[in-house]
Amino acid sequence: MTEMVNVQDAKTRLSEILSRVELGEEFILARGGKPIATLRAVEPAPRRELGFAPGPPLPESFWEPMSEEELAEWGE
């Protein structure tokens, strides 16, 4: 069941309320007994994997150290 909490009460109990929200509870925030907002946990964004963009495969030489000439071309 969703618990209704007045804004003033929520201000004084915010840490407790947020702990309960993290555990899956929902709250309705009210002003003067009139509901104005719902407080619930957000779902974490899914982890993104690197390499998700299609493209040509990289040759093994891509991972080899650059030669002195190549470094000079890059300003090193």
Side-chain angles (χ1 to χ4, degrees), residues 4-7 27-39:
M4 189 178 308
V5 180
N6 280 314
V7 173
F27 289 83
I28 295 176
L29 299 177
R31 185 177 288 128
K34 181 180 175 187
I36 56 173
T38 302
L39 183 61

Side-chain angles (χ1 to χ4, degrees), residues 57-66:
L58 296 173
E60 284 300 316
S61 62
F62 178 83
W63 303 106
E64 295 174 4
M66 294 171 67

Side-chain angles (χ1 to χ4, degrees), residues 9-66:
D9 190 28
K11 285 181 182 181
T12 59
R13 299 176 37 214
L14 186 59
S15 289
E16 173 205 337
I17 290 171
L18 289 176
S19 294
R20 291 173 59 186
V21 166
E22 286 178 317
L23 295 173
E25 293 185 50
E26 290 188 8
F27 289 83
I28 295 176
L29 299 177
R31 185 177 288 128
K34 181 180 175 187
I36 56 173
T38 302
L39 183 61
R40 62 181 170 84
V42 295
E43 292 186 27
R47 263 189 91 117
R48 295 175 65 183
E49 289 186 37
L50 294 177
F52 57 87
L58 296 173
E60 284 300 316
S61 62
F62 178 83
W63 303 106
E64 295 174 4
M66 294 171 67

